[in-house]
Amino acid sequence: TKLDDSQMELQFRNHLAAVKAWLVRQTHIEVLYVNFNLLIADPKPHCVNISDFLGIPMNVDRMVAVPTEKLYRNRAVIEQK
């Protein structure tokens, strides 16, 4: 069955909600949520948080150099077939 974009979005959102609810109940799993837009806008504090979360020393300066707006695919342009 082929889903249109709105149906696919709804399925994705429902699945994400189910996964988040499941994760809350997993006392043996720690999760760090990172907002993509905030990461792109100001990567340093998020990279520090990731390093702290993992509990291992990391080269934060090298991490900061990775996030870029080029990683975001432009979804505004949709070709009509």
Side-chain angles (χ1 to χ4, degrees), residues 8-77:
M8 181 63 78
E9 180 183 358
L10 179 61
Q11 293 228 355
F12 176 74
R13 288 182 185 278
N14 288 341
H15 177 71
L16 187 58
V19 169
K20 284 183 175 182
W22 179 82
L23 282 169
V24 167
R25 297 188 306 272
Q26 307 309 307
T27 57
H28 60 287
I29 298 176
E30 293 182 49
V31 179
L32 174 68
Y33 292 98
V34 179
N35 180 295
F36 178 82
N37 293 324
L38 296 176
L39 172 68
I40 293 298
D42 187 16
K44 184 141 190 174
H46 299 284
C47 292
V48 169
N49 287 343
I50 291 167
S51 179
D52 291 346
F53 176 78
L54 294 174
I56 55 176
M58 302 178 84
N59 187 329
V60 173
D61 292 330
R62 288 186 70 190
M63 292 172 66
V64 167
V66 174
T68 173
E69 291 179 6
K70 293 178 183 175
L71 293 175
Y72 183 77
R73 287 176 271 164
N74 184 353
R75 296 183 198 135
V77 177

